[in-house]
């Protein structure tokens, strides 16, 4: 059996400039991860080539934050999976709730993007998760189950369970709630890493990573602080 991998992924979202990117690369590469820990940083598109260059030869992998379902074409402002691959990316986030909400992406769109990522040789990190209203209505499993049925490609992928209400809010579900949802997801999707995302920071990373069924974390805000992201990497065992 291969050793279970723990994945620490940083989603910079629409933040950063070349100087911050350098500092974050330096900090992430400087922390020696425990065996079986994989670190991935996902900078905004204009910083990808720089970040791939700075991290070349290090243990840190680089991912895009989104990709188009097509490989090329008249899609102004979009980025294709083969383009990400060509600059040195190994991963790409698809279906983040900010894409689903602000860009109207459906699970069917997400599936196409994930399929395009696989075709280009990238590992898609597919985000799923319920809103607060859905959780308060007791529908979180129904919503996540539907997202799983409709968003997943044929092939290897990483899932990230990110309750929408936990993203950027400083609120996290209880460890019991994280465990319950991860059990539910791993009951449906076998042999795929399932990360947790939403207000992960250096103070809560170790306890979240210790929840059975959690294969890693997808970190937003805290991944923009060199020190803090380093401490999150160090928390992974
Ligand atoms: P956050 O974002 O860590 O800032 O809550 C997580 C995410 O959206 O991936």
């Amino acid at each position: 059996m291969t050793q279970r991998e723990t994945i620490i992924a940083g989603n910079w979202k629409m933040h950063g400039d070349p100087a911050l990117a350098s500092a974050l690369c330096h900090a992430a590469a400087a922390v020696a991860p425990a065996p079986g820990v994989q670190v991935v940083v996902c900078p905004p598109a204009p910083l990808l080539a720089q970040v791939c260059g700075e991290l070349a030869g290090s243990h840190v992998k680089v991912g895009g934050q989104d990709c188009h379902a097509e490989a090329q074409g008249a899609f102004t402002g979009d980025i294709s999976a083969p383009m990400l691959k060509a600059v040195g990316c190994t991963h790409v986030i698809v279906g983040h709730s900010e894409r689903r909400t602000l860009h109207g992406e459906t699970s069917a769109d997400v599936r196409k993007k994930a399929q395009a990522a696989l075709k280009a040789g990238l590992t898609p990190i597919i985000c799923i998760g319920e809103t607060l209203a859905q959780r308060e209505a007791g529908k979180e499993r129904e919503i996540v189950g539907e997202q799983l049925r409709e968003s997943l490609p044929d092939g290897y992928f990483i899932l990230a369970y990110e309750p929408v209400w936990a993203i950027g809010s400083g609120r996290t579900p209880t460890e019991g709630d994280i465990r319950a949802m991860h059990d539910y997801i791993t009951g449906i999707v076998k042999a795929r890493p399932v990360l947790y995302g939403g207000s992960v920071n250096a103070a809560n990373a170790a306890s979240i990573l210790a929840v059975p069924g959690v294969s890693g974390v997808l970190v937003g805000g805290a991944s923009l602080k060199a020190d803090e992201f380093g401490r999150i990497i160090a928390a992974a065992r």
Side-chain angles (χ1 to χ4, degrees):
M1 214 178 107
T2 53
Q3 191 181 4
R4 191 176 145 265
E5 195 178 48
T6 300
I7 298 151
I8 308 296
N11 174 11
W12 299 1
K13 308 192 181 184
M14 197 171 73
H15 295 285
D17 58 17
L20 179 64
S22 265
L24 293 175
C25 288
H26 201 79
V31 182
V37 175
Q38 178 61 66
V39 181
V40 186
V41 294
C42 302
L47 299 173
L48 279 171
Q50 175 196 336
V51 167
C52 286
E54 293 200 26
L55 293 173
S58 82
H59 65 85
V60 182
K61 305 247 195 270
V62 183
Q65 294 180 10
D66 181 45
C67 67
H68 197 276
E70 299 294 331
Q72 59 185 25
F75 303 105
T76 302
D78 284 314
I79 296 162
S80 76
M83 290 172 181
L84 295 173
K85 178 75 178 175
V87 296
C89 292
T90 50
H91 294 71
V92 60
I93 298 170
V94 292
H96 190 281
S97 70
E98 286 150 18
R99 300 293 315 176
R100 291 179 188 260
T101 309
L102 304 173
H103 295 265
E105 291 183 9
T106 64
S107 289
D109 296 328
V110 174
R111 185 177 185 283
K112 286 186 203 150
K113 289 174 177 222
Q115 210 69 66
L118 287 169
K119 196 171 169 195
L122 299 171
T123 301
I125 301 173
I126 303 168
C127 302
I128 51 173
E130 81 287 352
T131 63
L132 187 58
Q134 289 162 341
R135 177 162 281 264
E136 284 174 350
K139 291 191 166 165
E140 66 273 15
R141 287 183 178 213
E142 188 185 317
I143 296 298
V144 166
E146 191 178 290
Q147 290 172 338
L148 289 175
R149 272 194 306 282
E150 296 175 4
S151 307
L152 301 186
D154 304 318
Y156 187 77
F157 52 83
I158 296 167
L159 281 169
Y161 168 58
E162 299 204 302
V164 178
W165 50 275
I167 296 175
S169 65
R171 288 180 65 190
T172 54
T174 63
E175 284 163 28
D177 284 344
I178 294 175
R179 179 168 189 175
M181 185 56 88
H182 279 249
D183 282 350
Y184 174 68
I185 294 168
T186 52
I188 297 172
V189 182
K190 316 266 187 231
R192 297 285 184 275
V194 186
L195 316 185
Y196 167 79
S199 295
V200 174
N201 56 40
N204 63 21
S207 52
I208 289 174
L209 286 164
V211 174
V214 172
S215 322
V217 285
L218 179 54
V219 185
S223 75
L224 293 164
K225 296 175 195 150
D227 237 46
E228 180 145 17
F229 193 59
R231 279 187 280 143
I232 295 171
I233 297 170
R237 285 285 166 266

